[in-house]
Structure formats: structure tokens, C-alpha cells
Amino acid sequence: MSIPLRKEEEIIKLREACKLAADVLVMIEPYVKAGVSTGELDRICHDYMVKVQKVIPACLNYHGFPKSTCISINEVVCHGIPSEDKLLKEGDILNIDVTVIKDGYYGDNSKMYIVGDTNIRSRKLCEAAQEALYIGLRAVKPGIRLNEIGKVVQKYTEAQGFSVVREYCGHGIGTEFHCEPQVLHYYADDGGVILKPGMVFTIEPMINAGRKEVRLMGDGWTVKTKDRSHSAQYEHQLVVTENGCEVMTIREEEEKAGRISRIMVNV
Ligand code: MF3
Ligand code: CO
Ligand code: CO
């Protein structure tokens, strides 16, 4: 099957969607505090997307998902369902994953938040998940095989003493939420497609403090680590360019930090 190569007009649309998705992650940050429920955080994001941004929250009703964001705390790996009963407490680490649809084009991203202060190991886990994503972004350029990304992400993550979740991966995205290619965050000797300018996909490594195995909970969505160790994830959406990639969901804070840039020249 083929992976669409996006033309400039489509890239402009995707850039807009991605900017809006990134803005939600920035907007919600001051609300992430001990005592707030994940249901409330979801409601604030929902209202901002629908009323202020006038976009569609892509997660809402996606294969029956009941909320507008995924919020995954501590041992929850991904797809945590926001709830009024789930109150944040000091030391929690959480991922908020936001996807918007703007004029039919999708923007998907996520980041970690720390409630107050947490222990060194959890901080290191969050930091490693971000660096794992960045290492993936620094590898992207035309001509390489897609499985190069998984190779470098896995190598870094395991060198930090953490493990890479296998069951969930990055994905092609554009006028659909999830399409080809599947972007594994570990190495698989699967041939791997050759990257070409105009391909749009996410990189979103989930990394665990303990073992890599995960369990799906009875609600059919929430994924936890099997050993109940903590898990962290960061996600960006990118388009492959002539000499690297453009990080379409980059936030200002990241441009300032200087570890990645919107336009990554990876030659
Ligand atoms: N945003 C997630 C991703 O990065 C997908 C969430 S699907 C949902 O691919 F249904 F759980 F919302
Ligand atoms: Co995604
Ligand atoms: Co996402």
C-alpha cells in the first residue's frame, strides 16, 4: 500500500491543525495542579478546541472513545479516559494527548506534565521519553528506512535503563487519524519503507521505567504497564522534507530550548 506524499497546499493545512493541537498542550499547563480531576482538564481542553479554536476534537467518539483527550497518569501507558473521579496528586506524572481536526486535516501531539515535584526516577523517565522522541526526529530524512527511527529510539531508551512499549506505535496521519505507515519505536528487521519528502507521520515513543509489557484494562481503553511501573510518552507530528523534517507540532518553549527546531536539517 502507498503512503501519500503531501503537496504544499496540504502541508499548509496540516501545519495549521498541528499549531492548534500544540496550542492546546500549552493552554492546559497552568491547570495541571494537585486536586484537579482529569475530567476537568479534558473539559477545559474540549471547550477550548470547540469554542475558541473551532476545531473538532478527534478523539471524541473515535472508535467509541468517550472523551476529547487521552490523559494517562503514572502506570497508565496510553489512552487513559479522563474522569471526574481521577484527581491529580503531588508527584504524579501524566501525559495529555490532543488531536484536532481543522478543515479535514489532523494535528496530533502529546507531552508529559509533572504535578508539583516528583522523584528523580520519574523525572528522568519523562526526560528520557522526550529525548527518545527528539532522537527519532533527528534521524528523519529522505532515503533512510523507516525502521531506522525505531532503531535509534530503542537504543537510547534501553541505554537509559528503560524499556520501549511494543504494542502501540506512531502512525501516518493527514486526512485520516491513523494510516500508513506504522512507526515502530523499536527495531524490526521488516525491510521498512524508504522515507520520501511529503510523508507525514507521528513519532510517539511510550517508555516504561520497568518492563516493556502492557495490559489492557476492562474499560477497553486504558493501557497500563503489566508490572505497574511508571510510563512516559511524548509525541510530535512531522513531514519529511528534502533534507530532514519539519516538526509540525513544535512548541515555542521547545524552539527556545534549542534541542530541536521546527526545520530539522538532518544531513
Ligand atoms: N492520539 C492518540 C495517538 O497518538 C490516539 C488516541 S485514540 C483515542 O495516536 F481513541 F484513544 F482517543
Ligand atoms: Co498519534
Ligand atoms: Co496522539
Side-chain angles (χ1 to χ4, degrees), residues 37-39 41-42 45 65 69-73 76 79-82 86 88 94-97:
S37 71
T38 59
L41 293 176
D42 178 74
C45 289
F65 190 78
T69 62
C70 296
I71 305 185
S72 305
I73 307 174
V76 178
H79 305 163
I81 303 175
K86 217 159 288 156
L88 298 186
L94 60 146
N95 175 279
I96 303 182
D97 194 327

Side-chain angles (χ1 to χ4, degrees), residues 97 99 108 169-171 173 177-178 202 204 235:
D97 194 327
T99 310
D108 182 11
C169 54
H171 50 93
I173 183 165
F177 198 164
H178 296 104
T202 70
E204 49 181 300
E235 173 176 28

